[in-house]
Every structure is written in structure tokens, then in C-alpha cells.
Amino acid sequence: MDLFETHVMEAVARDAPLADRMRPRSLKEVMGQVHITGPGTLLEKAIAGDRVFSMILWGPPGCGKTTLANIIARETQSDCVKISAVLSGVKEVRQIIDKARETRRLYKKRTLLFVDEIHRFNKAQQDAFLYHVENGLITLVGATTENPSFEVNPALVSRCRVFTLNSLDRDDIVRILTRALTDPEKGLGMDEDSFSPDALAHIADVSDGDARMALTNLETAALHWRNGKEGSQRQIAINDVEAAVERKLLRYDKAGEEHYNLISAFIKSLRGSDPDAAIYWLERMLAGGEDPYYTLRRMIRFATEDIGLADPGALTMAMNADASFRRLGRPEGDGSLFQAAVYLATAPKSNAVYAAQKAVRKAIREDGHQPVPMHIRNAPTRLMKEMGYGKGYKYAHDFKDGYVPQSYLPDAMSGQRFYHPTQRGYEKTVKQRLDAWIALKKSNSSA
């Protein structure tokens, strides 16, 4: 590299965003991922021994996936190629494969291919890697914010080691901000007390574990202060930061893992009778763009599956919330969803009806279609009556309390039970009534 090229690269580096300039250059500088970057870990040993294997780096935005890929590329002897799945296609992948063959033949070097946002490649594009990853022509390092179980082909996942990166916590972000603030070469070169502790903490909070956004917000806040209040105020306060930075949008993918994670948290909070958690997860979904009708459908389902006859009003509440929301729309109708969520969370729980539904399906699947007992068959014609259809049927309303002991199940299943009510809520009353009928039926059959 000649002197001119060196000057050009240095100028580009100085003009790069703060988040790019402050990228860690070694594993020791990486924050918040000690479980995979610390001494003695699999990845640390692989990099130190230059025996890097194909892997997928999975984690939220700004947690260090690209940084780790850069460190791997810098500290290994492979020929490194970087592409983005947003901008590349099968043609580029094939060109990389052809070049990798030449590199191995001429220089006996491996090719390390870093694919950013690998989940954006479709199945055919991902399949283009399979054979070459398996035979070792390329070492694939894929980065993704989406769960590989959903967005990466299982065949490709099985050929890679998946490393899960954590969202950075507040303390990690503050340390990163402090380092960027004071670094005279790559950072802002400012005094450590240029920002108040509250101001740095606020930047960390609104960045929601995203180091890249935190550094961008720090740079923006410093620029805003320099252009406005520098000279009249020595320290950047929290109000200066609030005027300059933006809060990270809630992470939510209506078709990906976060969709399933949040609805799971919502349903489990309802089932666990925690109204505070339930409405928290409900708002997280709504704020992230979830279809309100989806949450309503899930609540209606919950009312029958997890509450049942312990509180028959639960289904009525869920259905009324659906009708109310359809009438009012957003945002006025949001209250109906929250009211229903609180009601369902605080209602007594029973899955007895749901369990009975599964039990009776299992019985029919295993025992087949048993014939209807003669005494409860319909007998609309003389011939059917002569054949015994309806013979011996006892009309319940002709007896005391509207109940008479007789069998209604197929003869081969007489006495079998599917529904076992609990002692919770209204179902306790149902159980008492049902137990009395069963006892009466037993005494009648033994008489």
C-alpha cells in the first residue's frame, strides 16, 4: 500500500461514523459477550489457534456480530470476503466460490466468507453455500438478528455452530460511551465529565442494548451541544441529550421469533394470573405493530382453553372486547383489550373442558364410531319403533329435579368419564352437581 492510499484510508476512517470508528479490534475489547469471547471459550481458542469453523452469530442489532466477524477476519490466516445478503445474490456467491477454489489451489489458503443479514437470503441462495461449507472450501460466518431456527435453512444450520449474542446491558453501554467520549484518536476526544452521568445513562437507556445506536446518539448529542450551548455551559446535561437523541424503536417482528416470544409471554402471564405482566406484554405487542385482532383471537381462545367453566363470564368478556374494539377501532378501542386481559388474568383457571375435549377425541380415534344406544335413538317411523328405536328412553323433565339416571354413552363405553371439573370458581358448583348425579346413577344401578 503506497503513502497516498494510506492517507486516503486514514481520512476515510476519520470521517466514518463514531460507531464504526470505535469497533473493538480484539476479543478483549468486546463488551457483554464474555460467554463466547472470554478466555478458554470455544471461539477464543478457535481464533487463537487459527482453526475457525463455520458459524452463525445470532443476536439483536448493535450487540457486536459484525465486530466479531471483523476480529475473526483480522486474526486468522484465511482469505476474507464480506458480503451483505441485502445487496448480493447467487451470482456473487458463485463468483466467491470460484475465487475460493483458485485461492486454495494457488496459495493453499482457506476462504472465510462473512455474510451479514444471512436471513435475508432465500432458500435457493442459502443452498448455494451448503456443499462448499461441508467440504471446507469456505468457512461461513453468518450474522443474523433473526432466530436461525426460523430464518436459516436447517441443513445450513446443522453445518454451522450457532453463537447467541446478548443485548448489551446498561453498564456495558455506559462503558462503551465513556470510552468513545474520551478516546483522542478514534473517539470524540472530550473530557470524561463533558457529559453528566445522568446524560450518559439516558443515552444508554434509550438505546435499548444497541451499542451502535448508543454511539450514534452520543455523537449527535455532542454535535448538538457544540452547535448550540458550548461556551455557556461546561457539562452536557440530560435535557441537552433528550433534545438530541431518539429512542430505539421496539424490536418486534410480526412473523419472526419476537412475535412468538411476546405472545407466549402474554398467554403465560394470563395463565399465571398476573394482570400487570399481561398488560405489559399486550402493550409491547400493540406498540410493535401487532394486529389487535390477533390478540383478541388469542384471548377468546384462552377464555375457553384456560378458564372454561371456572368462570363462564370470561368468554363473554373476551367476545364483548372483540365487539367493542370492532365498533371503536384504535386508539379508543384499546381499552377493551386491556380490560379483557385484566379480567382473564384475574379469573379462576380451569382447563378441564379443554382436557375433556382432547380425551374424547382420543377415545373416538382409538375406539372408532360406536353405535348409538337404542333407547336414545330417534324413532320417527313405525318400523323404527318396532325395531326398538327409542324404547325405554326416560324423558328427564318428567322426573324430580329434571334428572333421571340412564346411560347416554355407547354401551361399550358406559360409565366412562372425560370431563373432570375442578374446585375453582363456578366449576366448583358444576362439580357438586355432577357428583350428585353420578352418585344417584350408581345407587340406581346397584338397586
Side-chain angles (χ1 to χ4, degrees):
M1 183 181 296
D2 61 29
L3 186 60
F4 174 75
E5 289 176 322
T6 301
H7 286 319
V8 169
M9 291 189 67
E10 288 177 350
V12 171
R14 286 194 299 270
D15 291 339
L18 179 64
D20 191 56
R21 302 199 308 269
M22 291 303 301
R23 283 190 188 279
R25 299 298 193 264
S26 68
L27 289 182
K28 293 180 180 179
E29 297 179 10
V30 175
M31 292 280 190
Q33 313 300 340
V34 68
H35 62 293
I36 61 173
T37 63
T41 57
L42 178 63
L43 184 59
E44 189 270 340
K45 289 181 178 179
I47 294 175
D50 195 15
R51 297 186 63 83
V52 175
F53 40 81
S54 291
M55 67 186 75
I56 294 175
L57 305 175
W58 169 36
C63 67
K65 299 183 296 296
T66 302
T67 292
L68 272 181
N70 288 341
I71 292 171
I72 293 170
R74 184 179 300 108
E75 299 192 10
T76 63
Q77 299 301 313
S78 302
D79 184 47
C80 300
V81 182
K82 300 177 185 179
I83 62 173
S84 170
V86 177
L87 303 174
S88 305
V90 172
K91 179 181 178 181
E92 288 80 5
V93 172
R94 288 174 178 164
Q95 290 173 348
I96 292 168
I97 298 301
D98 291 340
K99 185 176 182 296
R101 290 196 184 97
E102 285 295 298
T103 300
R104 184 164 68 174
R105 183 176 65 85
L106 296 175
Y107 306 106
K108 308 300 182 186
K109 291 182 68 175
R110 295 169 297 157
T111 295
L112 188 145
L113 174 60
F114 172 60
V115 183
D116 195 19
E117 299 190 87
I118 192 171
H119 61 277
R120 292 184 179 270
F121 272 149
N122 60 35
K123 185 178 186 300
Q125 291 168 320
Q126 292 182 24
D127 283 345
F129 297 121
L130 284 176
Y131 175 74
H132 308 291
V133 169
E134 190 167 9
N135 68 18
L137 178 63
I138 62 172
T139 300
L140 175 67
V141 178
T144 178
T145 57
E146 304 299 330
N147 190 330
S149 300
F150 294 109
E151 302 297 337
V152 181
N153 290 355
L156 188 56
V157 172
S158 69
R159 290 162 173 80
C160 299
R161 175 64 183 260
V162 177
F163 288 105
T164 304
L165 281 72
N166 298 325
S167 178
L168 301 181
D169 63 29
R170 185 192 199 191
D171 291 340
D172 286 332
I173 294 290
V174 170
R175 282 193 287 269
I176 290 170
L177 293 173
T178 303
R179 186 170 64 187
L181 178 66
T182 58
D183 190 310
E185 297 179 4
K186 298 180 295 180
L188 299 178
M190 300 171 68
D191 293 334
E192 186 170 346
D193 61 354
S194 298
F195 278 72
S196 71
D198 287 344
L200 288 182
H202 180 72
I203 293 176
D205 289 339
V206 301
S207 301
D208 195 24
D210 186 332
R212 182 169 50 245
M213 172 164 278
L215 289 168
T216 300
N217 280 335
L218 177 70
E219 190 172 28
T220 303
L223 180 63
H224 174 75
W225 179 72
R226 283 171 176 165
N227 290 340
K229 294 187 176 182
E230 187 174 20
S232 62
Q233 177 182 342
R234 181 171 178 270
Q235 189 178 62
I236 302 176
I238 189 171
N239 58 307
D240 300 308
V241 169
E242 290 174 338
V245 306
E246 61 178 346
R247 179 173 291 277
K248 183 177 179 180
L249 294 176
L250 289 173
R251 175 166 161 72
Y252 189 68
D253 183 349
K254 289 190 288 181
E257 187 198 8
E258 280 301 287
H259 165 79
Y260 296 104
N261 284 345
L262 293 188
I263 192 61
S264 176
F266 176 58
I267 294 299
K268 288 180 172 66
S269 298
L270 293 177
R271 187 177 295 134
S273 301
D274 189 333
D276 300 302
I279 60 176
Y280 170 80
W281 296 117
L282 175 60
E283 177 58 24
R284 280 282 301 276
M285 288 188 290
L286 295 176
E290 181 58 82
D291 180 4
Y293 294 113
Y294 171 76
T295 61
L296 283 163
R297 288 194 298 271
R298 292 304 301 265
M299 284 194 282
I300 293 170
R301 174 60 175 160
F302 182 88
T304 58
E305 180 176 324
D306 287 275
I307 297 177
L309 289 180
D311 184 354
L315 181 58
T316 301
M317 173 63 74
M319 294 298 295
N320 285 345
D322 181 78
S324 174
F325 185 83
R326 291 178 186 278
R327 176 70 65 88
L328 295 175
R330 299 202 70 183
E332 291 85 354
D334 288 0
S336 303
L337 277 71
F338 283 84
Q339 181 172 324
V342 170
Y343 188 101
L344 298 180
T346 55
K349 307 298 188 299
S350 171
N351 70 341
V353 173
Y354 179 60
Q357 175 188 345
K358 294 195 294 184
V360 76
R361 284 178 174 173
K362 181 174 182 289
I364 292 172
R365 186 170 61 249
E366 293 178 352
D367 300 332
H369 292 231
Q370 298 286 337
V372 176
M374 294 297 286
H375 68 286
I376 57 173
R377 292 189 184 188
N378 187 33
T381 68
R382 178 186 296 179
L383 175 62
M384 296 172 79
K385 290 179 180 178
E386 291 174 353
M387 293 176 64
Y389 280 53
K391 185 177 181 180
Y393 171 65
K394 300 172 183 177
Y395 186 55
H397 295 290
D398 290 340
F399 295 83
K400 182 183 178 181
D401 298 325
Y403 176 80
V404 57
Q406 64 181 330
S407 178
Y408 295 94
L409 280 170
D411 294 338
M413 302 175 69
S414 182
Q416 189 166 343
R417 292 190 62 189
F418 301 106
Y419 174 53
H420 300 275
T422 69
Q423 292 277 8
R424 296 186 289 274
Y426 174 74
E427 206 164 44
K428 181 178 181 179
T429 302
V430 175
K431 185 178 189 314
Q432 292 171 346
R433 189 181 301 152
L434 191 56
D435 287 347
W437 289 339
I438 292 172
L440 186 60
K441 188 179 293 185
K442 287 181 179 178
S443 64
N444 185 71
S445 62
S446 61

